[in-house]
Structure formats: C-alpha cells, structure tokens
Amino acid sequence: MPDRLLAPPGQALHTNDSESTSNDGNQITPVTSNQRDDGSLLTVRIPGSPTASSLDGDTLRSRANSSATQIHQWENITPEEALKPDKGSERDFEVPNNPFAFSPGQLNKFLNPKSLSAYHAVGGVRGLEIGLRTDLKAGLSVDESELSDAVTFEEATSTKASSEGAVTDRRPALKAAATGSDGASTSTGAFTSRLRVYKNNTLPDKKPTSIWRLMWMAYNDKILILLSFAAAISLALGLYESLGRPQDPEEGASVDWVEGLAICVAIIIVVLVGALNDYQKERQFVKLNKKKEDREVKAIRSGKSVLISVHDITVGDVIHLEPGDIIPADGIFLAGHNVKCDESSATGESDQMKKTGGEEVSRHIANGTAWPKMDPFIISGSKVLEGVGTYLVTSVGVNSSFGKTMMALRQESDPTPLQVKLNGLAGYIAKLGTSAALLLFTVLLIRFLVGLKGNTDTPADKASAFLDILIVAVTIIVVAVPEGLPLAVTLALAFATTQMLKENNLVRILRACETMGNATTICSDKTGTLTQNRMTVVAGTVGRDTEFTSLPEQSGETPSSAEKPSAFSIRDAIGRLSETVSGLLRQSIVVNSTAFEGEDNGVATFIGSKTETALLTFAQTHLGMGRVAEERASYNIIQLIPFDSARKCMGVVIKLKDGTHRLLVKGAAEILLAQCSQAIIDVASDSLKAESMTESAKSQMGATINAYAEKSLRTIAMVYKDFDSWPPAGTNLVEGEKSIVKFEDLFRDMTFVGLVGIQDPLRDGVSEAVASCQKAGVVVRMVTGDNVTTARAIATACGIKTKDGVVMEGPKFRQLSDAEMDEVLPRLQVLARSSPEDKRILVKHLKHLGETVAVTGDGTNDAPALKAADIGFSMGIAGTEVAKEASAIILMDDNFSSIVKAIMWGRAVNDAVAKFLQFQITVNITAVLLAFVSAVSSPESRSVLSAVQLLWVNLIMDTFAALALATDPPTPKILDRKPTPKKAPLISVNMWKMIIGQAIYQLVVTFILYFAGTKILGYDVTARTDGLEPNSAAYRAEVDRAELLHDELNTIVFNTFVWMQIFNEFNNRRLDNKFNIFEGIQRNWFFIAINCVMVGGQVMIIYVGGAAFQVVRLDGTQWGICILCAVFCLPWAVLLRTMPDRYAAKVINIFLKVMSVVFGPITRAFSAATNAFLAPFKRMIQRMKRKSKRSGSDAANPERTADDEEAAPAATTAEKPNSADESHSSPLSPPPITITTTP
C-alpha cells in the first residue's frame, strides 16, 4: 500500500486553465510567457489590482511599481536592513573570493525570525537560482568542482535577471568532478567552491575528552585521593627512615619507602586503566553516532533524482519533500502540493505550517498582494506532515537553524536504567565496605593506642605503624567500592551496540539494548519485515469479469471459479482491453502515484514505495507506459490526495481535455469496493461503459479479493469518478484553501475499474526467526493494514498464527472495552486492517498487562506507537525519518531476523552484568573479610593482604573482569529461556547460591592456610632466639629464617586467593545450573587474552614483586599447593549447581536475616561515623571540582557556548561512583533483595 507522496522530478504541478475561479472571485490565470514553466513549480497566479485587495483578512496596498528600497508594511524594514548582519555574526557575511552572489550570513537572514523582506531582497527564488548558480529544475550539476568566475549581488537581484531567469550565461566552465553511476558526485573535489563558502551539512566533530582529562576524572575519586595522601606520608616516612637516619651496615639499607611508592604506582595504574577504558569507550560511541546520524535523502542533480547522504547536501541542492521526512537543511519551498510542516521542535509553533511556493510569494510581493502568513521557508529539523514538493537548500550544517540549535544543546546522554540500578547497589556495597573499614580502623587504633604505653620505638616508627593501620583501612574501602559495576554496563553496552550494528541493528537509545533482552512480545509489521518487499503484480481483474494471472493454477482456491471463465494470461487479458480502458488503467497507476524514475547503481529503476513501483513496472511492461515524467506532464493535475493510513487510499484529480474533472483513487480493495456503485462492464469498448453493481456483483468481487488474499496477495483496487465542474456542487473546501475539496465529500458512488493482486514473498529464514522467538518466550504478533484473509494466510505461513490464536480486524479491536481487550490480548496473534492508532492502543494495553513490548513501524503515523513501546524498531530502508526519530533501534535491513539478533544481544548485555556482579560480590566478601580478620588477629595489626596486593585484586575484579565478562557473545542457546520479568531482582537465587557458596569456600581455604598453615606445611615461624646474643649473626639468621617462612606463608595465601578469583571467573561464565563453563570460550578472544594478562601479571608479581608487593618467591611445591587449593573452585561450583534452587532460597533467606540482625546496628552506627570522618575530604573534593570546571570553561572558545555537536547516544565519561559522597549522604538502608524461585 502506498504510504508516501513525492513530487516526481520534472512533474508539472500547475493549474493553467483560464476558466477556473477561486472562491473569492479572483480569477486564476495561466502563466505568462516571461516566466519559466518547467514543470517543477506550482505556477498559479492570482493577479493583483491597483486598488486595495483583501487576502486572509490583511489588506495591503498594491506595490507593483514599488522600488526595492520601499519598506514592507508587515515587517517595517527595508531590504537593506533585512540583510544587515546581526551583532556577533559579521564574520558570516565576509567571504573572500566568493563566486556566489550571497554569503552564508545573508542566507541565514531568511529565518529567526522568518523574513519575507530578506527573501525579497535577494530576488526571490529566481535571484537565488542565479546567485547560487543552480537550476530549479535540474538541480546542481554533478560535474561541478571549482568555480572560476563570480556572480555579483546586483546581477542576481536585478529585476530583469530575476524575471527572465537569466542564469545560463553566468554558468562558467567547470572543472569536472568524477561522478558515480547513480549520478551523485563521488570525487573529493566535487563542489569545491561551494563547500568552501557554505560548508557541508555536518556539525564539527565533538572535541574528544583528552586522555589527561580522563585520567584526572578517574583519579578524582575521594577514596583514591585519601589513599594517595596516606601513601605520600608513608613514602616520606620511609625515605626518612632510609636517608634521614643512620643505617646499621649489618642490617642493610632500609626499604620502608617501597610500600608507599608501590601504592602510588598501583594508584597510577588503576587510574590509567580506567582512563584508557573511558577513552576507548568514547571513541566507540562516536563511531556509532556518526552512523546513526547518516541517512539518505532524495535530491535532483543534473536533472536526475538520486539518493545522496544527508551529509553530502550543500547549498543549491534541490531536495524532495515527502510525508514523514525530517528536513535536513534550511531552504526555500519551490513547488508541490499541500505541503504542511510541524515546526514545533524548531520554532515552538504548534500549528501546522502550510508552505507557499517561492515563485508565488515573489509574484504576490511584486504585485503588492503578499500577506504576512505567506510562508515559503523550510526549516531544518522540522517534519513534513503531509503533501509533496521540492525545495532549494540555502543553509547547511552549522549555518542552518537546526545546526545552530544543536551546537547550543550538546549534552551527555543519561544513564540507562540498569546503570541507575547498579549505581544504587554499588553505593550500598560501598557503605558496607566503608563500615567494615571504619570498624577495622577503630579496633586497630584502640589496640595501637593501648600499646603506646611502654612502646620504646622511635616516633617515626610509631607514625609508620599508625599509617600502616590507616592504609589497610583505606585500601579495604578501595576494594569494597565496586566502581567496576557501572563500568561493566558501559563496556557491555559498547560491545553489544558495536556488534549489533554489524548485524543490522543500529541502536539509537542505549537503554533499548538492555530492555530488548527482556522483551515478552513483538508487534511486527508485515511488508518488508516479514516479507521481502519485492512486489510484483501476478493477478488481477479488469472491469467486472476480465481476470488474468501468472500464478500456477490450483484448483478450488477461487470460490466463484465455477461461475467464471478461466483467467487469461496477463498478456492476453491486456490485449482484450480497448485503448480507452487501457488508458484509464494507465492514468490510475501513473498519475495517481508517488514513485518516480531514477537510478540504482547505474540501473534505471523506479524509486518509491514497493507497491507503487510494482504497479509502475506492470504499466510499463503491459500497458505501454512511456517515461513517467512525460506521462504525468500530459495531465493537468488539479488536486492531490496523499495516502493516509487511516483511510488506506490515495487519489488525484485531473482535468480532461473535454473540460470534465476526473477523480482517480487507488487503495485497499475491500475499502474501495464498499464505496463503488458501478463497475466497467465492457473492457473492449472504445467508450467507458459502466452499470450499477448489485449486491451479488459486489459479493462476487469480494470473493475474488478473498481468493487473492488466501494466496497471500496484497489486493489493490482502482476506482474513478467524473465531475462536470470543479469544485463540484455540494462539496466543502478544506479550510484556508480556495480549490481543495475535502476527500470525504468526493469519495462516494465510485466506478470500479480494476483490481490487482501483488505478491510479496516471505523473507528467507523468517519462519525460523519466529520459531526462535516463540522458543525464547517472546510472543510475535502481526499488525498489518492488509485484509484479514491475507493477514491470516501470511501469519500462518511464517508460523505466527497457531491453532488457538485469534485474528481480529482493527475496527472491531478498537471498539473492545478494557475488560474485553484484557481477555482477548493473550491469544491475539494477528491484527488486520489496522491503523496506526490501533497499533498504539495495542501497545498501551499490552504494557498495562505487564508485557515488555517491542514494535516495528515505518510510517509517520507509526511514531506514537514507536514512542509508546518499550522498544521501537523503525525500518532503515522503508521507514520515514519521523519513524526513525521516534524509534530506539533502526533495522538497517528491515528484516525480522535482525530483531531476533537484538533479543540475543540484549540478553547478552544483561547476562554480562549479572556475571560480573556475581564475580565482584564474591571477591568483595572474601577480600574484605580476609583482610579484616587477619588484621585484627595479627599481633602487628597487619592484614595478610597488603595494600598493594589489595589494589592488584581491585584491578583484577574491577577492570579486567569487567572486560572479560562483558564481551561474551550470545549463543543460540540464550534463546532457550524465558524473558526476565521487569520486577525481577538484580541478584537471582542461583547467583546468591554461587556468591555465598564460593565466598564460603574461599574464606575456609584462606583461613586454614593463614591460621593452620604453619602446622599443615610444617613451617616454624617462631624465631628460636633463646640463648642467642641479640645482635649476633646467629640471632639475625634465626630471625630472618622465621620472617622468611612467615612471608612465604603470607605469599601462599595471597597467591591462592588470586588464583581462586581467576578460576572463579570461569565459573561465572554461566548463570544457570548447567556444568559446561567453557562453552563458546574459543569465540571470545577478549576473555582469553585478559586471563592471560592476569595470569602473567600474577606470576610476575610472585617472582619479581619483592618488597613492593611484600611477597617472596615460591618454589614448585608451594606453587602446586596454591594452584591445587584454587582449582577446587571448579568442582565446588559443580556441587553448588546440583543444589535445587528452592532449597537454596530457604538457606539464603535465613542467612540474610541473620546478617541483617547482626550487622544492622553496626552499619547504622558506623554510617554516621563515616559521614563525619569523610566530611572534610568531601568539601576538599568539591572545591577541586569547582576549580577544575572553572579552568575548563576559561579554556573554551568564547565564541561558542557549547563545544560541539549533540552527543546523541554517547558514552558517558563521568567520574567513578561517588563512593564516599553518595554512599554516606543518608543513613544506610539496604536495597530490596527478593529471593524468587523458578517453578
């Protein structure tokens, strides 16, 4: 069904009948000889009068003889003032060596506000044609490159030049640019002069955040800054111990400074890795944005209609306007029919703005009959609501009104819902970790203060001991703060959106990526999505009973076959038609059409909706149709009725040579048949013979329509009606129009001409894709404008319609009450003869029932449904720009199978976050408890995991694990499970089971090694110094032996702990209870590479870390102990997976209740203490932020308030979670954690 209307190139949309009269008595006269009637302009003249003339209530004196400097009454400015530069825009008016008559600044004066004076001052459209060195009919030349001479302002705006269109003698010899087969210029030197003066239709690339700025933002974390201060003090004290105090030669040089330096180096590494991640993430989203913003528009170049990138539009181009287009550049409306635009996004004007042809406006200005509401201005960013036409581009890129707005509105995108949830969870975990750290600090500080009495150490040693306590406590906070959670979401989204683009899903809104994974129903269009959108006329009926078909004969398909003669072949049937009937069919197809001739990869083809092009191909092949432009130019078009999805038809009124007017309508067969009272009966007669259609005849034709529909054919009918005069008597005019009649008053008592059946085969693999969705628990519903029989046949063929499924028509569906709708929706599978409003109602009620709804749409009227859905899919090929703007994801190939890919990647994103969450919480619990318990139990108040070791663990779990687990591609098995409900908790029962189970195992192993390792391994860590001289060599040797064994044991604990995290990372690749954790690992090179980095890093730390990491080298036996203790994480995970989830849920609920009772009072008490402790640091960081922002704004370009273009879905480069800021701004309150089980 045609869904858009487009003025074809070279098509004459003009009224040249001298007898027509408008409502107010003004005579419509033909175009005079001194005006170009090139077939591309609406050349309607209403002559002025030397006396006053009233138009739309504004009475203006005739100014036909006015000078160019006369003041326009409606604007009170002279033409000179109209083109005067505004303050601050003087540079736009100064262009050196300008080969054109106008500067970008002068062309910008048309808008903001709209100025007819400025338009008149440049000579109207004819002045623009000359001054911009273009052609209003043929557009720009594809051979244009560099222009060697110039056109002056006076030459372009002179009355003679403007009236005669004398532009041909001002076209210099051009340096040719290479052209592609489609007529679009492909050379980098194309339009060199034009681009130098007016720029291209892109905004400047946003200046990327520098790596240094990203590093500062990554470092601007309160905990890292606090740790930096502690490390700096530790380093200073260590240096004092080494350099400021005399050293005992026998003890060797002091290395107390190594720990402080190692912490500083570790902080630098953490900051650098975080900044590099943000830098890479930002670059990925910039690439996606460029792809998202690119689209194709229809332009006229060298007399041919071609598709060009929106970025290649330049000043002087002639662009087509269609319903649903988002206008890409500012310009002047040239010609068309009933073009109305929604400019609310650009001007705030809520009313539809009807456009008047530029030449018509110029005539009214010259005649003194112009009125203020005449509007030839096309504003970029606005939407074409209805009508067809062409316009001349006058401003592009940063010079356009949309570009100026976008430059001032650049902002970062909002976080996705999952990021918001995880930020909240991260804050909660940070509060628990900070509370544990403060508790540890308090316990160790009390012990330190108690031990001061009788402590004979030097003040430097005491200060160093205190700093050790502070560093351990702060490091626990660093480990506890899960800044990797938001990073995991961002990385997963960045990876998924990049991969989805390769699979024809362009994600415009990031949240749609994660939401799509939980979609429970898809409301899909038919044409182009489920079918191939390659339409061909394969059957038809002309008049009452002349049938033709190219389909293989199948018995029993046509209910009335016994009453009808056998169908002819297409050639034989068309051969029986008289020239009159054949001409009527040709009129119905060619004139009443939006498609036009063009080229695709150098091959001549028709451009437009697939239904329209199928009909034109049929007319060209069988009806003797010549060139479309020539065919249309031979008819005098009076009124166009654009296709409307509500009435499902379109029409055109033409004036015949005998003075009568003919209305031609084509559209949905059953709707047009209902409006017919007659039908052509003798197709061989030279005159159109028709007789009344009886109910029996209508029923017979209805049976034919059903027969076509049962063969999955789209049925299009053609009807007509003749009128003696125009406007016909008894009809009403459209408000504000003088000759446009309301379609409803015309569309009755029509004469049936013919019916065609158009075949559109199913896409390859669509049945398998529908089956995959159904297996994944996603209900697929087909929403189509086809009749119920066609819809049922196609839905059955692709597997949507099942035995118990309901098929319903839109008119009946919208009449259902809420209760009836709630009852029928679970079984509704096909909605036929539906309107966009029916689709919106369907989406609304499905969401009311708790469904997560995905919707496909391609038309302008689909925008409300696309907006209302949880995920809106627009068509990248057939979709209008309004539909694309309203959607969240664009299907680049219009293929339903791509939606299945979106489901898989959406689930992969959610799974990646869940995997990382499961891994990180396990590490958090184990690391914090191990450090806490070992520090409290140690006589020296030292944790078995040093600060540098904990920072290495933090790097593993926050960055490396996020990269490894966020890059697992989905497998087909990801569709074997049902969607996750909207209210499902972040942490499922199975995740809790693995988190708690693995944490218990790791704590048991590390505690056994730490507390009983000396006995198990036979290590005597007690220095046997009894009877030895304190400073003797034997004494020192015994002490060194005991310390070495103690360090070896601690190194074994640390090494075992890290290896348990590495093995547990493999466990976390699965979220279900299946055992194969290595499935698909060979396809994830990120995971393999990152684990190699972690393993290599750990081995290097053990062998060369030394004093910096407070480790010693291990021998083969000790390595075996570490690996053996760690590898049992894998069989332990298998054992945990065998535990039924329902039993695990009971155990976990008891565990959480105990934890809440025991630790609830402690966390509340320490939450208040945390606020007090961190308040000074918080104020300091805020001051640093303010200072940083001030310095950043001072360095910005003072002439631009915004750096660059709008950051459409772009990666946020925000700081890490404000663990100390946000985490302690309110009393601790745990997020709701619901334990649910799957029956």
Side-chain angles (χ1 to χ4, degrees), residues 89-336:
S89 65
E90 292 83 358
R91 288 194 305 174
D92 293 338
F93 289 75
E94 301 169 0
V95 181
N97 302 320
N98 188 357
F100 304 98
F102 313 116
S103 66
Q106 290 172 322
L107 297 177
N108 286 342
K109 295 295 290 185
F110 295 162
L111 303 174
N112 195 27
K114 297 177 181 178
S115 174
L116 286 175
S117 292
Y119 170 70
H120 179 61
V122 299
V125 289
R126 293 303 175 185
L128 289 170
E129 181 181 32
I130 298 170
L132 296 180
R133 309 178 76 165
T134 184
D135 188 293
L136 300 183
K137 180 180 179 181
L140 295 177
S141 169
V142 296
D143 296 322
E144 179 183 322
S145 178
E146 186 176 348
L147 303 177
S148 57
D149 61 350
V151 176
T152 66
F153 183 89
E154 291 73 19
E155 289 174 331
T157 58
S158 66
T159 304
K160 181 178 179 181
S162 296
S163 62
E164 295 179 355
V167 69
T168 54
D169 61 342
R170 300 303 302 155
R171 288 184 178 274
L174 306 175
K175 293 183 180 179
T179 58
S181 58
D182 60 353
S185 178
T186 60
S187 171
T188 55
F191 308 116
T192 304
S193 298
R194 202 171 293 272
L195 293 176
R196 176 178 62 82
V197 175
Y198 298 114
K199 312 303 180 187
N200 56 14
N201 196 34
T202 59
L203 299 180
D205 288 336
K206 182 179 179 181
K207 183 179 179 181
T209 307
S210 68
I211 187 65
W212 304 109
R213 176 68 178 166
L214 290 172
M215 289 176 63
W216 169 249
M217 294 168 66
Y219 177 72
N220 206 5
D221 179 85
K222 303 162 188 61
I223 305 301
L224 286 181
I225 292 175
L226 179 61
L227 190 60
S228 300
F229 282 125
I233 297 173
S234 175
L235 179 60
L237 288 175
L239 292 174
Y240 172 75
E241 290 285 338
S242 301
L243 305 175
R245 297 174 57 187
Q247 301 293 321
D248 187 346
E250 295 183 359
E251 292 183 358
S254 173
V255 292
D256 291 345
W257 56 271
V258 171
E259 183 176 13
L261 179 62
I263 294 175
C264 292
V265 172
I267 292 172
I268 291 172
I269 293 174
V270 169
V271 168
L272 184 61
V273 171
L276 289 174
N277 274 332
D278 286 341
Y279 183 70
Q280 179 66 21
K281 171 187 65 178
E282 192 173 75
R283 291 182 63 189
Q284 286 178 336
F285 280 112
V286 165
K287 292 180 182 178
L288 287 177
N289 286 339
K290 288 183 178 179
K291 179 70 175 176
K292 178 188 76 69
E293 292 161 3
D294 193 12
R295 55 188 170 93
E296 289 188 327
V297 295
K298 296 177 180 126
I300 301 174
R301 287 188 175 175
S302 294
K304 295 181 180 180
S305 290
V306 294
L307 294 174
I308 63 173
S309 167
V310 69
H311 297 157
D312 293 335
I313 296 174
T314 186
V315 171
D317 263 320
V318 177
I319 305 295
H320 287 293
L321 295 174
E322 306 179 40
D325 279 353
I326 294 179
I327 295 171
D330 294 339
I332 298 296
F333 183 55
L334 295 179

Side-chain angles (χ1 to χ4, degrees), residues 994-1050:
M994 297 301 295
I995 290 170
I996 296 175
Q998 285 292 340
I1000 290 174
Y1001 174 81
Q1002 293 180 19
L1003 286 172
V1004 167
V1005 171
T1006 51
F1007 283 157
I1008 289 176
L1009 288 174
Y1010 181 70
F1011 290 107
T1014 55
K1015 294 182 180 179
I1016 296 174
L1017 302 177
Y1019 290 174
D1020 184 5
V1021 296
T1022 304
R1024 309 297 181 181
T1025 57
D1026 295 343
L1028 297 177
E1029 189 69 26
N1031 291 322
S1032 63
Y1035 180 89
R1036 286 196 301 273
E1038 177 62 20
V1039 171
D1040 290 343
R1041 181 199 62 80
E1043 288 182 351
L1044 177 61
L1045 290 176
H1046 185 270
D1047 290 342
E1048 285 182 356
L1049 183 60
N1050 286 348

Side-chain angles (χ1 to χ4, degrees), residues 542 545-548 565-582 622 681-686:
V542 182
D545 53 13
T546 303
E547 292 190 9
F548 60 84
S566 300
F568 297 97
S569 67
I570 296 180
R571 176 179 297 180
D572 291 343
I574 299 302
R576 294 169 58 89
L577 305 182
S578 67
E579 180 59 33
T580 304
V581 175
S582 176
H622 301 289
I681 56 171
D682 187 359
V683 297
S685 173
D686 289 336

Side-chain angles (χ1 to χ4, degrees), residues 682-747:
D682 187 359
V683 297
S685 173
D686 289 336
S687 60
L688 296 177
K689 294 182 179 180
E691 67 177 26
S692 298
M693 290 190 76
T694 63
E695 289 300 320
S696 174
K698 282 193 175 183
S699 297
Q700 188 174 347
M701 190 58 64
T704 301
I705 294 173
N706 286 334
Y708 290 168
E710 288 172 357
K711 299 174 184 177
S712 301
L713 302 184
R714 167 172 285 189
T715 54
I716 303 294
M718 289 160 280
V719 300
Y720 83 101
K721 184 177 182 180
D722 288 340
F723 299 92
D724 293 332
S725 62
W726 196 264
T731 57
N732 298 311
L733 299 180
V734 175
E735 183 178 356
E737 300 290 345
K738 298 176 177 60
S739 61
I740 305 299
V741 182
K742 289 186 176 180
F743 179 69
E744 293 74 14
D745 294 343
L746 301 172
F747 190 44

Side-chain angles (χ1 to χ4, degrees), residues 616-924:
L616 287 178
T617 301
F618 173 79
Q620 185 182 59
T621 305
H622 301 289
L623 297 177
M625 181 190 77
R627 288 180 56 84
V628 173
E630 294 174 359
E631 290 272 354
R632 289 172 179 164
S634 63
Y635 295 100
N636 183 7
I637 298 175
I638 304 300
Q639 178 176 336
L640 292 173
I641 300 100
F643 175 80
D644 185 274
S645 57
R647 57 178 176 246
K648 299 193 180 303
C649 61
M650 63 186 296
V652 63
V653 179
I654 59 176
K655 185 175 182 179
L656 303 179
K657 294 179 180 179
D658 61 3
T660 59
H661 296 75
R662 175 169 291 171
L663 168 65
L664 301 167
V665 181
K666 76 168 184 282
E670 65 276 8
I671 293 178
L672 268 61
L673 181 63
Q675 299 298 328
C676 289
S677 59
Q678 299 184 90
I680 294 176
I681 56 171
D682 187 359
V683 297
S685 173
D686 289 336
S687 60
L688 296 177
K689 294 182 179 180
E691 67 177 26
S692 298
M693 290 190 76
T694 63
E695 289 300 320
S696 174
K698 282 193 175 183
S699 297
Q700 188 174 347
M701 190 58 64
T704 301
I705 294 173
N706 286 334
Y708 290 168
E710 288 172 357
K711 299 174 184 177
S712 301
L713 302 184
R714 167 172 285 189
T715 54
I716 303 294
M718 289 160 280
V719 300
Y720 83 101
K721 184 177 182 180
D722 288 340
F723 299 92
D724 293 332
S725 62
W726 196 264
T731 57
N732 298 311
L733 299 180
V734 175
E735 183 178 356
E737 300 290 345
K738 298 176 177 60
S739 61
I740 305 299
V741 182
K742 289 186 176 180
F743 179 69
E744 293 74 14
D745 294 343
L746 301 172
F747 190 44
R748 60 170 67 98
D749 296 327
M750 306 296 292
T751 300
F752 183 81
V753 177
L755 164 75
V756 295
I758 301 177
Q759 187 179 56
D760 185 12
L762 289 179
R763 283 185 176 272
D764 295 335
V766 72
S767 300
E768 292 79 2
V770 170
S772 297
C773 287
Q774 293 168 342
K775 183 177 67 172
V778 182
V779 178
V780 182
R781 294 176 169 88
M782 188 173 77
V783 184
T784 179
D786 284 341
N787 66 54
V788 66
T789 308
T790 304
R792 180 185 285 109
I794 294 178
T796 302
C798 61
I800 293 175
K801 173 68 173 67
T802 60
K803 182 178 180 181
D804 299 329
V806 172
V807 179
M808 186 173 289
E809 292 183 326
K812 181 180 178 181
F813 172 78
R814 72 180 74 111
Q815 299 300 325
L816 297 177
S817 65
D818 289 347
E820 292 171 332
M821 201 168 288
D822 291 346
E823 181 181 354
V824 76
L825 277 183
R827 295 188 298 118
L828 179 66
Q829 293 176 340
V830 180
L831 189 61
R833 285 188 60 199
S834 63
S835 67
E837 179 62 16
D838 296 329
K839 186 184 290 187
R840 190 193 67 81
I841 294 172
L842 174 63
V843 171
K844 176 183 175 183
H845 280 272
L846 285 171
K847 291 182 69 176
H848 171 71
L849 295 177
E851 303 276 1
T852 301
V853 186
V855 169
T856 68
D858 57 4
T860 301
N861 290 336
D862 288 326
L866 292 170
K867 278 289 188 183
D870 294 291
I871 314 102
F873 284 90
S874 63
M875 304 295 110
I877 300 173
T880 64
E881 295 309 317
V882 173
K884 293 176 184 177
E885 190 71 17
S887 66
I889 299 176
I890 298 176
L891 294 178
M892 306 301 290
D893 60 351
D894 293 7
N895 194 341
F896 184 84
S897 298
S898 297
I899 299 179
V900 179
K901 297 292 185 181
I903 295 174
M904 295 174 65
W905 277 106
R907 293 189 176 187
V909 168
N910 293 327
D911 285 359
V913 174
K915 292 172 185 177
F916 179 74
L917 185 62
Q918 179 174 300
F919 174 79
Q920 186 168 55
I921 293 180
T922 304
V923 182
N924 273 349

